[in-house]
PDB file of all heavy atoms in Angstrom:
ATOM      1  N   ILE A   1      -1.176  -1.766  -8.885  1.00 87.00           N
ATOM      2  CA  ILE A   1      -0.978  -3.129  -8.401  1.00 87.00           C
ATOM      3  C   ILE A   1       0.177  -3.093  -7.415  1.00 87.00           C
ATOM      4  O   ILE A   1       1.289  -2.713  -7.767  1.00 87.00           O
ATOM      5  CB  ILE A   1      -0.674  -4.097  -9.563  1.00 87.00           C
ATOM      6  CG1 ILE A   1      -1.825  -4.086 -10.564  1.00 87.00           C
ATOM      7  CG2 ILE A   1      -0.424  -5.499  -9.036  1.00 87.00           C
ATOM      8  CD1 ILE A   1      -1.543  -4.874 -11.827  1.00 87.00           C
ATOM      9  N   ILE A   2      -0.091  -3.493  -6.192  1.00 88.00           N
ATOM     10  CA  ILE A   2       0.929  -3.469  -5.140  1.00 88.00           C
ATOM     11  C   ILE A   2       1.469  -4.881  -4.953  1.00 88.00           C
ATOM     12  O   ILE A   2       0.727  -5.797  -4.613  1.00 88.00           O
ATOM     13  CB  ILE A   2       0.352  -2.921  -3.815  1.00 88.00           C
ATOM     14  CG1 ILE A   2      -0.171  -1.500  -4.047  1.00 88.00           C
ATOM     15  CG2 ILE A   2       1.414  -2.946  -2.720  1.00 88.00           C
ATOM     16  CD1 ILE A   2      -0.907  -0.925  -2.872  1.00 88.00           C
ATOM     17  N   GLU A   3       2.771  -5.025  -5.195  1.00 88.00           N
ATOM     18  CA  GLU A   3       3.465  -6.291  -4.968  1.00 88.00           C
ATOM     19  C   GLU A   3       4.227  -6.156  -3.653  1.00 88.00           C
ATOM     20  O   GLU A   3       5.311  -5.597  -3.622  1.00 88.00           O
ATOM     21  CB  GLU A   3       4.455  -6.586  -6.087  1.00 88.00           C
ATOM     22  CG  GLU A   3       3.860  -6.859  -7.424  1.00 88.00           C
ATOM     23  CD  GLU A   3       4.929  -7.167  -8.471  1.00 88.00           C
ATOM     24  OE1 GLU A   3       6.095  -6.816  -8.271  1.00 88.00           O
ATOM     25  OE2 GLU A   3       4.562  -7.756  -9.481  1.00 88.00           O
ATOM     26  N   ALA A   4       3.637  -6.647  -2.590  1.00 86.00           N
ATOM     27  CA  ALA A   4       4.270  -6.535  -1.276  1.00 86.00           C
ATOM     28  C   ALA A   4       4.839  -7.884  -0.867  1.00 86.00           C
ATOM     29  O   ALA A   4       4.175  -8.909  -1.004  1.00 86.00           O
ATOM     30  CB  ALA A   4       3.257  -6.060  -0.244  1.00 86.00           C
ATOM     31  N   ASP A   5       6.056  -7.867  -0.373  1.00 85.00           N
ATOM     32  CA  ASP A   5       6.701  -9.080   0.121  1.00 85.00           C
ATOM     33  C   ASP A   5       5.909  -9.618   1.312  1.00 85.00           C
ATOM     34  O   ASP A   5       5.232  -8.874   2.009  1.00 85.00           O
ATOM     35  CB  ASP A   5       8.136  -8.739   0.536  1.00 85.00           C
ATOM     36  CG  ASP A   5       8.978  -9.975   0.721  1.00 85.00           C
ATOM     37  OD1 ASP A   5       8.836 -10.621   1.775  1.00 85.00           O
ATOM     38  OD2 ASP A   5       9.766 -10.293  -0.181  1.00 85.00           O
ATOM     39  N   GLU A   6       6.015 -10.933   1.536  1.00 83.00           N
ATOM     40  CA  GLU A   6       5.298 -11.548   2.660  1.00 83.00           C
ATOM     41  C   GLU A   6       5.685 -10.926   3.996  1.00 83.00           C
ATOM     42  O   GLU A   6       4.872 -10.850   4.900  1.00 83.00           O
ATOM     43  CB  GLU A   6       5.588 -13.058   2.717  1.00 83.00           C
ATOM     44  CG  GLU A   6       4.707 -13.883   1.831  1.00 83.00           C
ATOM     45  CD  GLU A   6       4.971 -15.368   2.009  1.00 83.00           C
ATOM     46  OE1 GLU A   6       6.149 -15.766   2.077  1.00 83.00           O
ATOM     47  OE2 GLU A   6       3.992 -16.122   2.077  1.00 83.00           O
ATOM     48  N   GLY A   7       6.913 -10.471   4.119  1.00 83.00           N
ATOM     49  CA  GLY A   7       7.393  -9.931   5.382  1.00 83.00           C
ATOM     50  C   GLY A   7       7.052  -8.468   5.620  1.00 83.00           C
ATOM     51  O   GLY A   7       7.357  -7.921   6.674  1.00 83.00           O
ATOM     52  N   VAL A   8       6.415  -7.807   4.667  1.00 85.00           N
ATOM     53  CA  VAL A   8       6.071  -6.393   4.815  1.00 85.00           C
ATOM     54  C   VAL A   8       4.885  -6.264   5.761  1.00 85.00           C
ATOM     55  O   VAL A   8       3.927  -7.032   5.685  1.00 85.00           O
ATOM     56  CB  VAL A   8       5.735  -5.767   3.437  1.00 85.00           C
ATOM     57  CG1 VAL A   8       5.217  -4.359   3.592  1.00 85.00           C
ATOM     58  CG2 VAL A   8       6.950  -5.788   2.554  1.00 85.00           C
ATOM     59  N   THR A   9       4.947  -5.265   6.643  1.00 85.00           N
ATOM     60  CA  THR A   9       3.843  -5.060   7.583  1.00 85.00           C
ATOM     61  C   THR A   9       2.611  -4.535   6.855  1.00 85.00           C
ATOM     62  O   THR A   9       2.698  -3.874   5.821  1.00 85.00           O
ATOM     63  CB  THR A   9       4.234  -4.057   8.688  1.00 85.00           C
ATOM     64  OG1 THR A   9       4.545  -2.811   8.075  1.00 85.00           O
ATOM     65  CG2 THR A   9       5.417  -4.563   9.485  1.00 85.00           C
ATOM     66  N   HIS A  10       1.474  -4.825   7.423  1.00 83.00           N
ATOM     67  CA  HIS A  10       0.200  -4.406   6.849  1.00 83.00           C
ATOM     68  C   HIS A  10       0.130  -2.883   6.731  1.00 83.00           C
ATOM     69  O   HIS A  10      -0.401  -2.345   5.762  1.00 83.00           O
ATOM     70  CB  HIS A  10      -0.941  -4.943   7.726  1.00 83.00           C
ATOM     71  CG  HIS A  10      -2.296  -4.607   7.242  1.00 83.00           C
ATOM     72  ND1 HIS A  10      -2.838  -5.159   6.113  1.00 83.00           N
ATOM     73  CD2 HIS A  10      -3.230  -3.754   7.728  1.00 83.00           C
ATOM     74  CE1 HIS A  10      -4.040  -4.673   5.928  1.00 83.00           C
ATOM     75  NE2 HIS A  10      -4.315  -3.821   6.894  1.00 83.00           N
ATOM     76  N   GLY A  11       0.687  -2.201   7.707  1.00 86.00           N
ATOM     77  CA  GLY A  11       0.644  -0.744   7.721  1.00 86.00           C
ATOM     78  C   GLY A  11       1.356  -0.119   6.531  1.00 86.00           C
ATOM     79  O   GLY A  11       0.910   0.907   6.000  1.00 86.00           O
ATOM     80  N   THR A  12       2.447  -0.710   6.089  1.00 88.00           N
ATOM     81  CA  THR A  12       3.186  -0.180   4.948  1.00 88.00           C
ATOM     82  C   THR A  12       2.359  -0.295   3.671  1.00 88.00           C
ATOM     83  O   THR A  12       2.298   0.639   2.866  1.00 88.00           O
ATOM     84  CB  THR A  12       4.523  -0.918   4.777  1.00 88.00           C
ATOM     85  OG1 THR A  12       5.259  -0.840   5.997  1.00 88.00           O
ATOM     86  CG2 THR A  12       5.345  -0.322   3.657  1.00 88.00           C
ATOM     87  N   VAL A  13       1.701  -1.430   3.485  1.00 88.00           N
ATOM     88  CA  VAL A  13       0.863  -1.630   2.302  1.00 88.00           C
ATOM     89  C   VAL A  13      -0.311  -0.649   2.325  1.00 88.00           C
ATOM     90  O   VAL A  13      -0.647  -0.028   1.316  1.00 88.00           O
ATOM     91  CB  VAL A  13       0.365  -3.088   2.229  1.00 88.00           C
ATOM     92  CG1 VAL A  13      -0.606  -3.271   1.079  1.00 88.00           C
ATOM     93  CG2 VAL A  13       1.540  -4.048   2.100  1.00 88.00           C
ATOM     94  N   VAL A  14      -0.915  -0.488   3.483  1.00 88.00           N
ATOM     95  CA  VAL A  14      -2.042   0.440   3.610  1.00 88.00           C
ATOM     96  C   VAL A  14      -1.574   1.867   3.336  1.00 88.00           C
ATOM     97  O   VAL A  14      -2.286   2.649   2.687  1.00 88.00           O
ATOM     98  CB  VAL A  14      -2.692   0.318   5.008  1.00 88.00           C
ATOM     99  CG1 VAL A  14      -3.697   1.424   5.244  1.00 88.00           C
ATOM    100  CG2 VAL A  14      -3.347  -1.043   5.163  1.00 88.00           C
ATOM    101  N   HIS A  15      -0.388   2.213   3.782  1.00 90.00           N
ATOM    102  CA  HIS A  15       0.147   3.559   3.548  1.00 90.00           C
ATOM    103  C   HIS A  15       0.299   3.831   2.048  1.00 90.00           C
ATOM    104  O   HIS A  15      -0.075   4.906   1.567  1.00 90.00           O
ATOM    105  CB  HIS A  15       1.483   3.729   4.276  1.00 90.00           C
ATOM    106  CG  HIS A  15       2.108   5.071   4.089  1.00 90.00           C
ATOM    107  ND1 HIS A  15       1.570   6.216   4.618  1.00 90.00           N
ATOM    108  CD2 HIS A  15       3.220   5.446   3.402  1.00 90.00           C
ATOM    109  CE1 HIS A  15       2.323   7.245   4.280  1.00 90.00           C
ATOM    110  NE2 HIS A  15       3.334   6.801   3.539  1.00 90.00           N
ATOM    111  N   VAL A  16       0.833   2.856   1.302  1.00 90.00           N
ATOM    112  CA  VAL A  16       0.985   3.016  -0.147  1.00 90.00           C
ATOM    113  C   VAL A  16      -0.395   3.144  -0.801  1.00 90.00           C
ATOM    114  O   VAL A  16      -0.602   3.970  -1.694  1.00 90.00           O
ATOM    115  CB  VAL A  16       1.787   1.847  -0.757  1.00 90.00           C
ATOM    116  CG1 VAL A  16       1.773   1.899  -2.280  1.00 90.00           C
ATOM    117  CG2 VAL A  16       3.215   1.855  -0.246  1.00 90.00           C
ATOM    118  N   MET A  17      -1.346   2.347  -0.329  1.00 90.00           N
ATOM    119  CA  MET A  17      -2.701   2.424  -0.878  1.00 90.00           C
ATOM    120  C   MET A  17      -3.337   3.785  -0.577  1.00 90.00           C
ATOM    121  O   MET A  17      -4.027   4.359  -1.429  1.00 90.00           O
ATOM    122  CB  MET A  17      -3.560   1.294  -0.316  1.00 90.00           C
ATOM    123  CG  MET A  17      -3.119  -0.083  -0.782  1.00 90.00           C
ATOM    124  SD  MET A  17      -4.016  -1.415  -0.009  1.00 90.00           S
ATOM    125  CE  MET A  17      -5.443  -1.486  -1.059  1.00 90.00           C
ATOM    126  N   GLU A  18      -3.091   4.318   0.598  1.00 91.00           N
ATOM    127  CA  GLU A  18      -3.633   5.636   0.957  1.00 91.00           C
ATOM    128  C   GLU A  18      -3.014   6.738   0.101  1.00 91.00           C
ATOM    129  O   GLU A  18      -3.691   7.692  -0.288  1.00 91.00           O
ATOM    130  CB  GLU A  18      -3.408   5.935   2.440  1.00 91.00           C
ATOM    131  CG  GLU A  18      -4.281   5.106   3.370  1.00 91.00           C
ATOM    132  CD  GLU A  18      -5.771   5.377   3.157  1.00 91.00           C
ATOM    133  OE1 GLU A  18      -6.154   6.549   2.954  1.00 91.00           O
ATOM    134  OE2 GLU A  18      -6.541   4.407   3.197  1.00 91.00           O
ATOM    135  N   LEU A  19      -1.730   6.613  -0.201  1.00 91.00           N
ATOM    136  CA  LEU A  19      -1.088   7.584  -1.092  1.00 91.00           C
ATOM    137  C   LEU A  19      -1.765   7.586  -2.464  1.00 91.00           C
ATOM    138  O   LEU A  19      -2.007   8.647  -3.052  1.00 91.00           O
ATOM    139  CB  LEU A  19       0.405   7.281  -1.248  1.00 91.00           C
ATOM    140  CG  LEU A  19       1.304   7.517  -0.045  1.00 91.00           C
ATOM    141  CD1 LEU A  19       2.729   7.040  -0.345  1.00 91.00           C
ATOM    142  CD2 LEU A  19       1.309   8.974   0.342  1.00 91.00           C
ATOM    143  N   ALA A  20      -2.079   6.396  -2.957  1.00 90.00           N
ATOM    144  CA  ALA A  20      -2.739   6.282  -4.252  1.00 90.00           C
ATOM    145  C   ALA A  20      -4.150   6.857  -4.196  1.00 90.00           C
ATOM    146  O   ALA A  20      -4.571   7.586  -5.101  1.00 90.00           O
ATOM    147  CB  ALA A  20      -2.772   4.825  -4.703  1.00 90.00           C
ATOM    148  N   LYS A  21      -4.874   6.550  -3.128  1.00 90.00           N
ATOM    149  CA  LYS A  21      -6.246   7.060  -3.002  1.00 90.00           C
ATOM    150  C   LYS A  21      -6.256   8.577  -2.837  1.00 90.00           C
ATOM    151  O   LYS A  21      -7.123   9.256  -3.386  1.00 90.00           O
ATOM    152  CB  LYS A  21      -6.965   6.396  -1.826  1.00 90.00           C
ATOM    153  CG  LYS A  21      -7.362   4.963  -2.127  1.00 90.00           C
ATOM    154  CD  LYS A  21      -8.376   4.378  -1.171  1.00 90.00           C
ATOM    155  CE  LYS A  21      -8.029   4.532   0.268  1.00 90.00           C
ATOM    156  NZ  LYS A  21      -8.935   3.821   1.180  1.00 90.00           N
ATOM    157  N   ASP A  22      -5.301   9.118  -2.103  1.00 89.00           N
ATOM    158  CA  ASP A  22      -5.215  10.568  -1.929  1.00 89.00           C
ATOM    159  C   ASP A  22      -4.961  11.279  -3.261  1.00 89.00           C
ATOM    160  O   ASP A  22      -5.393  12.408  -3.462  1.00 89.00           O
ATOM    161  CB  ASP A  22      -4.117  10.944  -0.931  1.00 89.00           C
ATOM    162  CG  ASP A  22      -4.486  10.573   0.500  1.00 89.00           C
ATOM    163  OD1 ASP A  22      -5.680  10.315   0.764  1.00 89.00           O
ATOM    164  OD2 ASP A  22      -3.567  10.529   1.342  1.00 89.00           O
ATOM    165  N   ALA A  23      -4.251  10.607  -4.168  1.00 89.00           N
ATOM    166  CA  ALA A  23      -3.972  11.192  -5.469  1.00 89.00           C
ATOM    167  C   ALA A  23      -5.171  11.080  -6.415  1.00 89.00           C
ATOM    168  O   ALA A  23      -5.205  11.737  -7.444  1.00 89.00           O
ATOM    169  CB  ALA A  23      -2.758  10.518  -6.100  1.00 89.00           C
ATOM    170  N   GLY A  24      -6.148  10.237  -6.049  1.00 89.00           N
ATOM    171  CA  GLY A  24      -7.337  10.083  -6.886  1.00 89.00           C
ATOM    172  C   GLY A  24      -7.425   8.755  -7.608  1.00 89.00           C
ATOM    173  O   GLY A  24      -8.335   8.542  -8.401  1.00 89.00           O
ATOM    174  N   LEU A  25      -6.505   7.858  -7.350  1.00 87.00           N
ATOM    175  CA  LEU A  25      -6.552   6.533  -7.967  1.00 87.00           C
ATOM    176  C   LEU A  25      -7.457   5.631  -7.125  1.00 87.00           C
ATOM    177  O   LEU A  25      -7.263   5.501  -5.920  1.00 87.00           O
ATOM    178  CB  LEU A  25      -5.145   5.932  -8.053  1.00 87.00           C
ATOM    179  CG  LEU A  25      -4.186   6.661  -8.988  1.00 87.00           C
ATOM    180  CD1 LEU A  25      -2.765   6.177  -8.778  1.00 87.00           C
ATOM    181  CD2 LEU A  25      -4.599   6.455 -10.431  1.00 87.00           C
TER     182      LEU A  25
END
């Protein structure tokens, strides 16, 4: 579950999601 602040760029959230997907989540 990613809790991203409203001011966080879309790219940062996608990067965290990609890290999770690369690990197999």
Side-chain angles (χ1 to χ4, degrees):
I1 301 173
I2 301 173
E3 293 181 340
D5 195 282
E6 275 184 316
V8 173
T9 61
H10 181 70
T12 305
V13 175
V14 170
H15 180 68
V16 172
M17 293 174 84
E18 289 298 320
L19 290 175
K21 286 195 309 187
D22 289 344
L25 294 168

